[in-house]
Amino acid sequence: MNHSMVGIMDLPNEMIIKIWNNLNNIDVLYSFLGVNKRFDRLARSPVYIRSIQLTEKNSKTNRFYPLPDSIIDRYCSYILPQIHQCIECLILEPFSMERILLLCVYPRLRKLSFTKIGEDFVFRHFTEKSPLINITHLSLTIDLKWFTSLSAIDLGEKLVPQIFRTFRNLIELDFNENSIERRPLISLYGLSSMICYSSSLVNLSINVKKFNDCLCLFDGRFPQLRKLYVGIQEINAPSLPIENLTTVLNLEYFSLSSYSDINEYDSYILPLIRQMKYLKELTLYLVVNNRSTFIDGTHLKNEILIYLPQIQIFIFNIKTHCKFMSNEMYIQSNNDISRTFINWQYSQVNSYISHYPNNVAQCHIFSLPCSMTEIYNISYGFQGVLCRNVQTLYLSDRVHPFRHEFFLRIARAFPLITHLTVLNNRFPNNVDGSSNDQLASVVEFHHLISLTIHFQRAHNVEQFLVDTNTYLPNLIDLTVSYDNLVTVTKNFKRDVTRRNCSKVQTLQFTIRTIAVHSKDFYLYFPCLK
């Protein structure tokens, strides 16, 4: 027995529990269950055995990975047989989930979360004879690599009915992937409400293909639905009616995110939301196209909130792209938009306008504090406001160039971003790298692990890879034009770009690639996998 274990054994129970509460419960059980009677009794506390996460989460990427074989082996051979009757929640990853689920009967298990799941596993274990049928809370991330078809229609036909046939008492279903890049899309349109049905489902989080799929959620197949989080890839003209939806009045919480521009916001989104008379919380994440006026505080009050008398919380991130604006509308300033939120009772609001030629402008309004982990389509007009929760950020502007001071604002406003995508194809007036703002301060992205730079212009590649412009101490995934990379690194021999490339493990090219690289290339990227 080592000295540290002896030291812990001498402590009173209260001190031991205080130490253990700073540890992962997986480590507590692995290290102390079965050591002696005292530790055994303390480790069997509901705090440590009710919920078991048998997977490792990377704090930087938020992705799950398998635990070492030695840990899984000890859990399967000793720990789970000791505590299986008390476990209420299991969080599992694909490499060990089958072994763990078949190891024991879990009579109290009600919550089950799969970090990745494939078609083969679904059809083997999601059956009416499954020991999992008493699960009431199910969360799963779909691994599209392990489904024979990637289409939303096939996922809907194969996966959703199988879930509802198996889990008859389901209260909460979460498809557990909010990232736009990795979302699995599911189509419900065309699925009979007899096979896609649950009389007990209260909470649902799902990403669907089209607006018809969203309307299916309100046609009576989920009569107890109270909370709905829905992401829609494409809000197009529906063939299903929007009015007089069966279960829309039951909703108390509704979150709607659109993953593409909406051209018919006034025709489709507003009529849907206005029916939710008993809604208490509303979240909207929308990019709205082809309006002649901005969506601002006045619009939200007069066109949405007046129809929702019980609303208590309203969170939004809405960008309006307006064409053919009148001169009066076009010349509006940031202050003009801010004034429309005077006496706004739901939250603080940040807003900015980006003006473009030919009476085209964009207005971006969002709630503060920003609770979202992803923000898309930030343009040059962004003035900067602290958003600590954001981890994924898309910067996009096809007219105005992104200058060094813009990236300084971005780094200060989003200090914890891990994934950044830049879409900008305009040269600033000064591109020699010696402007006063560049000499004044280095842009620092301390947590950034993934960077994608689109388009052929080399300016933004220069901005990010030159270490006197930008500091990227943890960059491991880089997507960039190969030609720009060669130009900016001076054929992989330039010293000032070497440091920001030194930890890159995954390198992808947006335009073209090359099969055989030089020795200098591999010296430049020593960690490349």
Side-chain angles (χ1 to χ4, degrees):
M1 187 177 296
N2 59 43
H3 293 295
S4 59
M5 183 68 76
V6 172
I8 292 177
M9 291 179 66
D10 292 336
L11 295 175
N13 290 349
E14 293 77 9
M15 289 294 294
I16 292 174
I17 292 172
K18 189 172 182 179
I19 293 171
W20 285 4
N21 287 344
N22 292 319
L23 301 176
N24 189 306
N25 66 335
I26 291 296
D27 296 326
V28 171
L29 293 172
Y30 179 80
S31 301
F32 297 102
L33 192 69
V35 170
N36 57 43
K37 290 183 178 181
R38 181 188 177 209
F39 282 178
D40 222 52
R41 178 172 53 82
L42 293 176
R44 289 173 185 269
S45 164
V47 173
Y48 306 117
I49 64 175
R50 276 180 180 164
S51 179
I52 306 295
Q53 178 179 303
L54 287 168
T55 179
E56 186 175 7
K57 187 176 183 179
N58 186 301
S59 59
K60 291 183 179 180
T61 63
N62 282 329
R63 295 182 181 178
F64 291 92
Y65 298 93
L67 290 168
D69 289 341
S70 59
I71 295 180
I72 293 296
D73 289 343
R74 174 161 164 73
Y75 264 87
C76 290
S77 63
Y78 181 76
I79 297 174
L80 291 176
Q82 296 289 319
I83 64 171
H84 68 101
Q85 293 185 335
C86 302
I87 295 175
E88 299 176 7
C89 173
L90 278 175
I91 302 170
L92 306 174
E93 52 79 32
F95 293 100
S96 61
M97 64 173 65
E98 192 159 24
R99 180 183 177 188
I100 290 165
L101 288 175
L102 296 177
L103 179 70
C104 306
V105 175
Y106 302 92
R108 295 189 181 183
L109 185 64
R110 295 295 180 268
K111 297 183 180 181
L112 193 55
S113 178
F114 297 107
T115 60
K116 285 185 179 180
I117 198 167
E119 183 176 23
D120 184 56
F121 183 90
V122 166
F123 284 99
R124 279 207 314 274
H125 297 287
F126 288 13
T127 70
E128 295 179 20
K129 297 181 179 180
S130 170
L132 305 175
I133 58 175
N134 291 322
I135 295 297
T136 58
H137 294 68
L138 180 65
S139 173
L140 59 154
T141 303
I142 299 171
D143 190 344
L144 295 177
K145 294 184 299 183
W146 300 108
F147 276 82
T148 54
S149 173
L150 303 184
S151 76
I153 294 174
D154 284 332
L155 280 177
E157 290 178 347
K158 293 179 179 180
L159 181 63
V160 175
Q162 200 77 9
I163 289 174
F164 290 118
R165 277 194 293 261
T166 303
F167 306 102
R168 298 297 180 91
N169 302 314
L170 208 57
I171 294 173
E172 181 172 314
L173 175 60
D174 184 353
F175 284 98
N176 197 31
E177 191 54 83
N178 295 321
S179 169
I180 288 180
E181 290 184 331
R182 298 186 298 273
R183 68 192 183 277
L185 298 174
I186 294 174
S187 180
L188 302 176
Y189 180 61
L191 286 181
S192 167
S193 59
M194 300 297 292
I195 62 172
C196 178
Y197 171 84
S198 173
S199 61
S200 58
L201 193 68
V202 174
N203 301 339
L204 174 63
S205 177
I206 189 171
N207 292 302
V208 299
K209 179 75 173 176
K210 296 186 177 182
F211 197 49
N212 269 337
D213 301 314
C214 176
L215 295 178
C216 285
L217 301 172
F218 302 110
D219 66 3
R221 64 186 72 202
F222 305 122
Q224 300 301 319
L225 197 63
R226 296 293 183 270
K227 292 186 177 182
L228 175 61
Y229 305 71
V230 60
I232 310 178
Q233 184 187 52
E234 181 182 354
I235 297 182
N236 53 356
S239 57
L240 296 175
I242 300 178
E243 290 77 20
N244 301 317
L245 297 173
T246 305
T247 56
V248 73
L249 287 175
N250 296 339
L251 279 189
E252 296 178 357
Y253 180 92
F254 182 55
S255 173
L256 174 63
S257 299
S258 171
Y259 301 139
S260 59
D261 293 357
I262 304 171
N263 293 318
E264 299 292 344
Y265 162 84
D266 295 87
S267 302
Y268 305 146
I269 303 301
L270 290 181
L272 175 64
I273 294 174
R274 288 170 179 171
Q275 297 177 66
M276 302 177 183
K277 304 295 185 183
Y278 301 104
L279 206 64
K280 296 179 181 178
E281 297 184 31
L282 174 63
T283 298
L284 296 177
Y285 191 168
L286 307 172
V287 179
V288 180
N289 248 348
N290 296 331
R291 295 189 94 250
S292 58
T293 59
F294 295 133
I295 296 175
D296 56 15
T298 301
H299 171 92
L300 296 178
K301 294 171 190 174
N302 295 338
E303 303 299 329
I304 294 180
L305 294 174
I306 195 173
Y307 296 90
L308 309 176
Q310 298 195 29
I311 196 76
Q312 298 171 10
I313 298 174
F314 184 22
I315 299 170
F316 55 85
N317 188 326
I318 302 174
K319 192 162 191 176
T320 321
H321 183 77
C322 294
K323 297 181 179 180
F324 313 115
M325 302 183 73
S326 66
N327 287 332
E328 180 182 2
M329 291 290 103
Y330 179 74
I331 62 173
Q332 288 183 96
S333 66
N334 291 341
N335 288 334
D336 292 327
I337 301 300
S338 296
R339 279 193 287 270
T340 67
F341 288 98
I342 292 176
N343 298 323
W344 186 258
Q345 62 185 16
Y346 301 98
S347 63
Q348 292 184 316
V349 178
N350 186 261
S351 63
Y352 66 91
I353 297 176
S354 300
H355 291 94
Y356 300 98
N358 302 318
N359 280 38
V360 175
Q362 291 181 352
C363 176
H364 191 177
I365 58 174
F366 54 94
S367 304
L368 294 175
C370 183
S371 60
M372 299 179 181
T373 59
E374 300 185 356
I375 292 186
Y376 293 79
N377 295 319
I378 292 285
S379 58
Y380 90 99
F382 179 73
Q383 297 301 305
V385 62
L386 186 61
C387 300
R388 287 192 172 275
N389 291 318
V390 176
Q391 295 179 328
T392 298
L393 185 67
Y394 275 56
L395 309 177
S396 177
D397 201 305
R398 297 174 184 264
V399 175
H400 298 283
F402 290 151
R403 303 177 186 275
H404 185 81
E405 68 253 20
F406 173 78
F407 291 114
L408 283 171
R409 287 200 300 273
I410 293 297
R412 291 164 183 161
F414 306 99
L416 300 180
I417 60 168
T418 58
H419 294 70
L420 176 63
T421 298
V422 180
L423 298 94
N424 186 249
N425 204 26
R426 298 292 178 178
F427 276 122
N429 293 332
N430 47 349
V431 294
D432 60 1
S434 60
S435 64
N436 290 334
D437 55 4
Q438 284 180 306
L439 292 174
S441 183
V442 175
V443 179
E444 298 184 6
F445 291 106
H446 289 276
H447 300 275
L448 193 70
I449 61 172
S450 178
L451 173 64
T452 299
I453 303 175
H454 287 287
F455 298 128
Q456 285 281 40
R457 305 288 190 184
H459 164 67
N460 285 320
V461 180
E462 178 91 9
Q463 168 67 49
F464 279 94
L465 295 190
V466 173
D467 60 20
T468 54
N469 294 337
T470 304
Y471 179 50
L472 302 173
N474 291 300
L475 183 66
I476 59 175
D477 297 328
L478 177 62
T479 301
V480 69
S481 159
Y482 177 77
D483 291 339
N484 286 345
L485 187 63
V486 170
T487 300
V488 170
T489 61
K490 299 191 185 309
N491 209 17
F492 311 110
K493 295 179 181 179
R494 189 180 182 188
D495 287 337
V496 292
T497 51
R498 190 179 299 274
R499 181 168 66 164
N500 283 339
C501 296
S502 63
K503 295 183 180 179
V504 170
Q505 299 175 13
T506 303
L507 181 60
Q508 300 182 67
F509 301 117
T510 57
I511 307 296
R512 74 176 183 89
T513 186
I514 186 170
V516 179
H517 297 288
S518 66
K519 179 182 178 181
D520 290 327
F521 172 89
Y522 290 106
L523 291 174
Y524 221 77
F525 297 98
C527 297
L528 208 60
K529 295 182 178 179

